Short mmCIF file of all heavy atoms in Angstrom, two decimals:
data_model
loop_
_atom_site.label_atom_id
_atom_site.label_comp_id
_atom_site.label_asym_id
_atom_site.label_seq_id
_atom_site.Cartn_x
_atom_site.Cartn_y
_atom_site.Cartn_z
N TRP H 1 -5.49 -6.47 -4.47
CA TRP H 1 -6.83 -6.91 -4.09
C TRP H 1 -6.79 -8.32 -3.54
O TRP H 1 -7.55 -8.66 -2.62
CB TRP H 1 -7.79 -6.82 -5.28
CG TRP H 1 -8.23 -5.42 -5.54
CD1 TRP H 1 -7.89 -4.66 -6.60
CD2 TRP H 1 -9.06 -4.60 -4.70
NE1 TRP H 1 -8.45 -3.40 -6.49
CE2 TRP H 1 -9.18 -3.35 -5.33
CE3 TRP H 1 -9.71 -4.80 -3.49
CZ2 TRP H 1 -9.93 -2.31 -4.80
CZ3 TRP H 1 -10.45 -3.76 -2.97
CH2 TRP H 1 -10.56 -2.54 -3.61
N GLY H 2 -5.91 -9.16 -4.07
CA GLY H 2 -5.73 -10.50 -3.51
C GLY H 2 -5.17 -10.45 -2.10
O GLY H 2 -5.56 -11.24 -1.24
N THR H 3 -4.26 -9.50 -1.86
CA THR H 3 -3.72 -9.32 -0.52
C THR H 3 -4.83 -8.88 0.44
O THR H 3 -4.89 -9.35 1.57
CB THR H 3 -2.59 -8.27 -0.54
OG1 THR H 3 -1.60 -8.68 -1.47
CG2 THR H 3 -1.97 -8.12 0.83
N LEU H 4 -5.70 -8.02 -0.03
CA LEU H 4 -6.83 -7.60 0.79
C LEU H 4 -7.72 -8.77 1.14
O LEU H 4 -8.14 -8.94 2.29
CB LEU H 4 -7.62 -6.51 0.07
CG LEU H 4 -8.87 -5.99 0.77
CD1 LEU H 4 -8.52 -5.37 2.12
CD2 LEU H 4 -9.60 -4.99 -0.11
N ALA H 5 -8.00 -9.64 0.16
CA ALA H 5 -8.82 -10.82 0.42
C ALA H 5 -8.12 -11.76 1.40
O ALA H 5 -8.75 -12.31 2.31
CB ALA H 5 -9.13 -11.53 -0.88
N LEU H 6 -6.82 -11.94 1.22
CA LEU H 6 -6.07 -12.82 2.13
C LEU H 6 -6.06 -12.27 3.55
O LEU H 6 -6.29 -13.02 4.51
CB LEU H 6 -4.64 -12.99 1.62
CG LEU H 6 -3.71 -13.82 2.50
CD1 LEU H 6 -4.16 -15.26 2.51
CD2 LEU H 6 -2.28 -13.70 2.00
N LEU H 7 -5.81 -10.98 3.70
CA LEU H 7 -5.82 -10.38 5.03
C LEU H 7 -7.20 -10.45 5.67
O LEU H 7 -7.32 -10.64 6.88
CB LEU H 7 -5.34 -8.93 4.96
CG LEU H 7 -3.86 -8.72 4.67
CD1 LEU H 7 -3.57 -7.25 4.50
CD2 LEU H 7 -3.00 -9.31 5.76
N THR H 8 -8.25 -10.30 4.87
CA THR H 8 -9.61 -10.41 5.40
C THR H 8 -9.86 -11.81 5.93
O THR H 8 -10.41 -12.00 7.01
CB THR H 8 -10.64 -10.08 4.29
OG1 THR H 8 -10.38 -8.77 3.81
CG2 THR H 8 -12.05 -10.16 4.82
N LYS H 9 -9.42 -12.81 5.18
CA LYS H 9 -9.61 -14.20 5.60
C LYS H 9 -8.78 -14.51 6.84
O LYS H 9 -9.26 -15.15 7.78
CB LYS H 9 -9.23 -15.13 4.44
CG LYS H 9 -9.34 -16.58 4.73
CD LYS H 9 -10.78 -16.99 4.84
CE LYS H 9 -10.85 -18.49 5.02
NZ LYS H 9 -12.18 -18.94 5.34
N LEU H 10 -7.53 -14.06 6.87
CA LEU H 10 -6.65 -14.37 8.00
C LEU H 10 -7.05 -13.64 9.27
O LEU H 10 -6.79 -14.13 10.37
CB LEU H 10 -5.20 -14.03 7.63
CG LEU H 10 -4.55 -14.93 6.58
CD1 LEU H 10 -3.15 -14.44 6.27
CD2 LEU H 10 -4.53 -16.38 7.03
N SER H 11 -7.67 -12.47 9.12
CA SER H 11 -8.05 -11.72 10.32
C SER H 11 -9.29 -12.29 10.97
O SER H 11 -9.57 -12.00 12.14
CB SER H 11 -8.27 -10.25 9.98
OG SER H 11 -9.46 -10.09 9.23
N GLY H 12 -10.06 -13.08 10.24
CA GLY H 12 -11.26 -13.68 10.81
C GLY H 12 -12.33 -12.65 11.15
O GLY H 12 -13.15 -12.89 12.02
N GLY H 13 -12.30 -11.50 10.49
CA GLY H 13 -13.30 -10.47 10.75
C GLY H 13 -12.97 -9.60 11.95
O GLY H 13 -13.78 -8.77 12.34
N GLU H 14 -11.80 -9.76 12.54
CA GLU H 14 -11.40 -8.97 13.71
C GLU H 14 -11.01 -7.55 13.35
O GLU H 14 -11.14 -6.64 14.17
CB GLU H 14 -10.22 -9.64 14.44
CG GLU H 14 -10.54 -11.02 14.99
CD GLU H 14 -11.50 -10.95 16.17
OE1 GLU H 14 -11.38 -10.01 16.98
OE2 GLU H 14 -12.37 -11.83 16.26
N ILE H 15 -10.51 -7.35 12.14
CA ILE H 15 -10.06 -6.02 11.70
C ILE H 15 -11.11 -5.48 10.74
O ILE H 15 -11.52 -6.17 9.80
CB ILE H 15 -8.68 -6.11 11.01
CG1 ILE H 15 -7.66 -6.70 11.98
CG2 ILE H 15 -8.24 -4.74 10.53
CD1 ILE H 15 -6.31 -6.95 11.35
N PRO H 16 -11.56 -4.24 10.93
CA PRO H 16 -12.57 -3.65 10.04
C PRO H 16 -12.09 -3.59 8.58
O PRO H 16 -10.89 -3.48 8.31
CB PRO H 16 -12.77 -2.25 10.60
CG PRO H 16 -12.29 -2.30 11.99
CD PRO H 16 -11.21 -3.34 12.02
N GLU H 17 -13.04 -3.65 7.66
CA GLU H 17 -12.72 -3.73 6.24
C GLU H 17 -11.93 -2.52 5.75
O GLU H 17 -10.97 -2.67 4.99
CB GLU H 17 -14.01 -3.85 5.41
CG GLU H 17 -14.77 -5.13 5.62
CD GLU H 17 -15.72 -5.07 6.81
OE1 GLU H 17 -15.91 -3.97 7.37
OE2 GLU H 17 -16.26 -6.12 7.19
N PHE H 18 -12.33 -1.33 6.18
CA PHE H 18 -11.64 -0.13 5.71
C PHE H 18 -10.22 -0.05 6.28
O PHE H 18 -9.33 0.49 5.63
CB PHE H 18 -12.44 1.13 6.04
CG PHE H 18 -13.65 1.30 5.16
CD1 PHE H 18 -14.91 1.20 5.68
CD2 PHE H 18 -13.50 1.53 3.81
CE1 PHE H 18 -16.03 1.35 4.87
CE2 PHE H 18 -14.60 1.68 2.98
CZ PHE H 18 -15.86 1.58 3.52
N GLN H 19 -10.01 -0.57 7.46
CA GLN H 19 -8.66 -0.60 8.00
C GLN H 19 -7.79 -1.56 7.19
O GLN H 19 -6.63 -1.25 6.90
CB GLN H 19 -8.66 -1.01 9.46
CG GLN H 19 -7.28 -0.97 10.08
CD GLN H 19 -7.29 -1.31 11.56
OE1 GLN H 19 -8.33 -1.43 12.17
NE2 GLN H 19 -6.11 -1.47 12.12
N LEU H 20 -8.35 -2.70 6.81
CA LEU H 20 -7.60 -3.62 5.97
C LEU H 20 -7.27 -3.00 4.61
O LEU H 20 -6.18 -3.18 4.09
CB LEU H 20 -8.39 -4.92 5.77
CG LEU H 20 -8.32 -5.91 6.91
CD1 LEU H 20 -9.28 -7.06 6.66
CD2 LEU H 20 -6.92 -6.44 7.07
N MET H 21 -8.24 -2.27 4.05
CA MET H 21 -7.99 -1.62 2.78
C MET H 21 -6.89 -0.57 2.93
O MET H 21 -6.01 -0.45 2.07
CB MET H 21 -9.27 -0.99 2.24
CG MET H 21 -9.11 -0.47 0.83
SD MET H 21 -10.62 0.09 0.08
CE MET H 21 -11.11 1.43 1.14
N ALA H 22 -6.92 0.17 4.02
CA ALA H 22 -5.87 1.16 4.26
C ALA H 22 -4.51 0.49 4.42
O ALA H 22 -3.49 1.01 3.97
CB ALA H 22 -6.20 1.99 5.50
N MET H 23 -4.51 -0.68 5.04
CA MET H 23 -3.25 -1.41 5.21
C MET H 23 -2.69 -1.86 3.86
O MET H 23 -1.49 -1.78 3.62
CB MET H 23 -3.46 -2.61 6.13
CG MET H 23 -3.70 -2.22 7.58
SD MET H 23 -4.32 -3.55 8.61
CE MET H 23 -3.03 -4.76 8.49
N THR H 24 -3.56 -2.33 2.95
CA THR H 24 -3.07 -2.75 1.63
C THR H 24 -2.58 -1.56 0.82
O THR H 24 -1.58 -1.67 0.11
CB THR H 24 -4.15 -3.52 0.85
OG1 THR H 24 -5.31 -2.71 0.72
CG2 THR H 24 -4.51 -4.81 1.53
N PHE H 25 -3.26 -0.41 0.95
CA PHE H 25 -2.76 0.79 0.27
C PHE H 25 -1.44 1.24 0.90
O PHE H 25 -0.57 1.77 0.21
CB PHE H 25 -3.79 1.92 0.31
CG PHE H 25 -4.83 1.80 -0.76
CD1 PHE H 25 -6.10 1.35 -0.46
CD2 PHE H 25 -4.54 2.12 -2.07
CE1 PHE H 25 -7.07 1.24 -1.44
CE2 PHE H 25 -5.49 2.01 -3.07
CZ PHE H 25 -6.76 1.56 -2.75
N GLY H 26 -1.28 1.04 2.19
CA GLY H 26 -0.01 1.34 2.85
C GLY H 26 1.11 0.46 2.33
O GLY H 26 2.24 0.92 2.12
N ILE H 27 0.80 -0.81 2.09
CA ILE H 27 1.80 -1.72 1.51
C ILE H 27 2.19 -1.23 0.12
O ILE H 27 3.38 -1.20 -0.22
CB ILE H 27 1.24 -3.15 1.46
CG1 ILE H 27 1.10 -3.72 2.88
CG2 ILE H 27 2.12 -4.06 0.61
CD1 ILE H 27 0.31 -5.02 2.94
N ALA H 28 1.20 -0.82 -0.68
CA ALA H 28 1.50 -0.31 -2.02
C ALA H 28 2.35 0.95 -1.95
O ALA H 28 3.29 1.12 -2.74
CB ALA H 28 0.20 -0.03 -2.77
N PHE H 29 2.05 1.82 -0.98
CA PHE H 29 2.83 3.05 -0.83
C PHE H 29 4.28 2.73 -0.46
O PHE H 29 5.21 3.32 -1.02
CB PHE H 29 2.20 3.94 0.24
CG PHE H 29 2.99 5.17 0.54
CD1 PHE H 29 3.03 6.22 -0.36
CD2 PHE H 29 3.70 5.28 1.72
CE1 PHE H 29 3.77 7.35 -0.08
CE2 PHE H 29 4.44 6.41 2.01
CZ PHE H 29 4.48 7.45 1.10
N LEU H 30 4.48 1.79 0.45
CA LEU H 30 5.84 1.43 0.84
C LEU H 30 6.61 0.80 -0.33
O LEU H 30 7.80 1.06 -0.51
CB LEU H 30 5.81 0.48 2.03
CG LEU H 30 5.35 1.10 3.34
CD1 LEU H 30 5.25 0.04 4.44
CD2 LEU H 30 6.28 2.23 3.77
N LEU H 31 5.93 -0.03 -1.12
CA LEU H 31 6.57 -0.61 -2.29
C LEU H 31 6.97 0.47 -3.29
O LEU H 31 8.06 0.42 -3.87
CB LEU H 31 5.65 -1.63 -2.95
CG LEU H 31 5.44 -2.94 -2.19
CD1 LEU H 31 4.36 -3.78 -2.87
CD2 LEU H 31 6.74 -3.71 -2.09
N MET H 32 6.10 1.46 -3.48
CA MET H 32 6.41 2.54 -4.41
C MET H 32 7.56 3.40 -3.89
O MET H 32 8.44 3.81 -4.66
CB MET H 32 5.17 3.40 -4.65
CG MET H 32 5.23 4.22 -5.88
SD MET H 32 5.27 3.14 -7.31
CE MET H 32 6.39 4.02 -8.33
N CYS H 33 7.57 3.66 -2.58
CA CYS H 33 8.69 4.44 -2.00
C CYS H 33 10.01 3.70 -2.17
O CYS H 33 11.03 4.32 -2.48
CB CYS H 33 8.42 4.72 -0.52
SG CYS H 33 7.19 6.00 -0.24
N SER H 34 9.99 2.39 -1.97
CA SER H 34 11.23 1.62 -2.15
C SER H 34 11.67 1.64 -3.62
O SER H 34 12.86 1.71 -3.91
CB SER H 34 11.05 0.19 -1.65
OG SER H 34 10.11 -0.50 -2.42
N ARG H 35 10.71 1.64 -4.53
CA ARG H 35 11.06 1.72 -5.95
C ARG H 35 11.72 3.07 -6.25
O ARG H 35 12.69 3.14 -7.01
CB ARG H 35 9.82 1.54 -6.81
CG ARG H 35 10.12 1.63 -8.28
CD ARG H 35 8.90 1.36 -9.12
NE ARG H 35 9.23 1.50 -10.52
CZ ARG H 35 8.53 2.18 -11.38
NH1 ARG H 35 7.43 2.79 -10.99
NH2 ARG H 35 8.89 2.26 -12.63
N TRP H 36 11.16 4.14 -5.68
CA TRP H 36 11.74 5.46 -5.89
C TRP H 36 13.16 5.52 -5.33
O TRP H 36 14.06 6.08 -5.96
CB TRP H 36 10.89 6.54 -5.25
CG TRP H 36 9.60 6.81 -5.95
CD1 TRP H 36 9.31 6.54 -7.25
CD2 TRP H 36 8.44 7.39 -5.38
NE1 TRP H 36 8.02 6.93 -7.53
CE2 TRP H 36 7.46 7.44 -6.41
CE3 TRP H 36 8.12 7.86 -4.13
CZ2 TRP H 36 6.20 7.97 -6.19
CZ3 TRP H 36 6.86 8.37 -3.92
CH2 TRP H 36 5.91 8.42 -4.95
N VAL H 37 13.37 4.96 -4.16
CA VAL H 37 14.70 5.00 -3.55
C VAL H 37 15.71 4.22 -4.39
O VAL H 37 16.82 4.69 -4.65
CB VAL H 37 14.65 4.44 -2.11
CG1 VAL H 37 16.03 4.18 -1.56
CG2 VAL H 37 13.90 5.41 -1.20
N PHE H 38 15.32 3.04 -4.86
CA PHE H 38 16.24 2.23 -5.64
C PHE H 38 16.48 2.78 -7.03
O PHE H 38 17.52 2.53 -7.63
CB PHE H 38 15.75 0.78 -5.74
CG PHE H 38 15.88 0.03 -4.45
CD1 PHE H 38 14.79 -0.58 -3.89
CD2 PHE H 38 17.09 -0.04 -3.78
CE1 PHE H 38 14.88 -1.28 -2.70
CE2 PHE H 38 17.21 -0.73 -2.58
CZ PHE H 38 16.11 -1.35 -2.04
N SER H 39 15.55 3.57 -7.56
CA SER H 39 15.77 4.16 -8.88
C SER H 39 16.54 5.48 -8.80
O SER H 39 16.92 6.03 -9.82
CB SER H 39 14.44 4.37 -9.60
OG SER H 39 13.67 5.34 -8.94
N GLY H 40 16.72 5.99 -7.59
CA GLY H 40 17.58 7.15 -7.42
C GLY H 40 16.90 8.50 -7.40
O GLY H 40 17.55 9.52 -7.51
N HIS H 41 15.59 8.55 -7.29
CA HIS H 41 14.92 9.84 -7.15
C HIS H 41 13.88 9.76 -6.05
O HIS H 41 13.52 8.70 -5.58
CB HIS H 41 14.30 10.32 -8.48
CG HIS H 41 13.35 9.37 -9.11
ND1 HIS H 41 12.05 9.26 -8.71
CD2 HIS H 41 13.51 8.48 -10.10
CE1 HIS H 41 11.45 8.34 -9.44
NE2 HIS H 41 12.32 7.85 -10.29
N SER H 42 13.43 10.93 -5.63
CA SER H 42 12.56 10.99 -4.46
C SER H 42 11.09 10.77 -4.77
O SER H 42 10.31 10.48 -3.89
CB SER H 42 12.72 12.33 -3.75
OG SER H 42 12.22 13.36 -4.58
N GLY H 43 10.68 10.94 -6.00
CA GLY H 43 9.28 10.78 -6.35
C GLY H 43 8.44 12.02 -6.09
O GLY H 43 7.24 12.00 -6.31
N VAL H 44 9.08 13.10 -5.65
CA VAL H 44 8.34 14.32 -5.35
C VAL H 44 7.75 14.93 -6.62
O VAL H 44 6.67 15.51 -6.58
CB VAL H 44 9.26 15.34 -4.63
CG1 VAL H 44 8.56 16.67 -4.43
CG2 VAL H 44 9.71 14.77 -3.30
N HIS H 45 8.42 14.74 -7.75
CA HIS H 45 7.90 15.34 -8.99
C HIS H 45 6.58 14.72 -9.40
O HIS H 45 5.85 15.30 -10.19
CB HIS H 45 8.93 15.28 -10.12
CG HIS H 45 9.28 13.90 -10.56
ND1 HIS H 45 8.54 13.21 -11.48
CD2 HIS H 45 10.31 13.09 -10.22
CE1 HIS H 45 9.08 12.03 -11.68
NE2 HIS H 45 10.15 11.94 -10.93
N TYR H 46 6.22 13.55 -8.88
CA TYR H 46 4.91 12.97 -9.16
C TYR H 46 3.81 13.71 -8.40
O TYR H 46 2.64 13.61 -8.74
CB TYR H 46 4.86 11.50 -8.78
CG TYR H 46 5.76 10.64 -9.62
CD1 TYR H 46 6.87 10.01 -9.07
CD2 TYR H 46 5.49 10.45 -10.96
CE1 TYR H 46 7.69 9.21 -9.83
CE2 TYR H 46 6.32 9.66 -11.74
CZ TYR H 46 7.41 9.04 -11.17
OH TYR H 46 8.23 8.26 -11.94
N LEU H 47 4.17 14.43 -7.35
CA LEU H 47 3.20 15.15 -6.54
C LEU H 47 2.89 16.54 -7.08
O LEU H 47 1.93 17.16 -6.64
CB LEU H 47 3.69 15.26 -5.10
CG LEU H 47 3.94 13.94 -4.38
CD1 LEU H 47 4.54 14.20 -3.01
CD2 LEU H 47 2.67 13.14 -4.27
N ARG H 48 3.70 17.03 -7.99
CA ARG H 48 3.50 18.37 -8.53
C ARG H 48 2.28 18.38 -9.44
O ARG H 48 2.12 17.52 -10.30
CB ARG H 48 4.73 18.82 -9.30
CG ARG H 48 5.90 19.05 -8.39
CD ARG H 48 7.00 19.80 -9.10
NE ARG H 48 8.13 19.91 -8.21
CZ ARG H 48 9.33 19.43 -8.47
NH1 ARG H 48 9.57 18.84 -9.61
NH2 ARG H 48 10.31 19.56 -7.60
#
């Protein structure tokens, strides 16, 4: 949420709010994927 606030401030209102929120969720998704890769499993069992 702090990243969302920072991106909102840095964008100066040029990027829509929902796009910024999607970008922060995308960052979270990439961090989680990297965690899965480094821990040695694909993370697919979380989707079942």
Side-chain angles (χ1 to χ4, degrees):
W1 283 111
T3 304
L4 178 60
L6 177 67
L7 289 174
T8 302
K9 179 71 175 171
L10 291 177
S11 71
E14 297 290 322
I15 301 174
E17 294 85 9
F18 286 113
Q19 183 177 352
L20 280 173
M21 188 172 62
M23 290 167 60
T24 57
F25 278 104
I27 291 169
F29 175 73
L30 291 175
L31 289 173
M32 199 65 218
C33 285
S34 65
R35 179 176 178 228
W36 288 337
V37 167
F38 288 125
S39 66
H41 56 81
S42 67
V44 174
H45 64 85
Y46 294 113
L47 300 175
R48 292 194 184 120

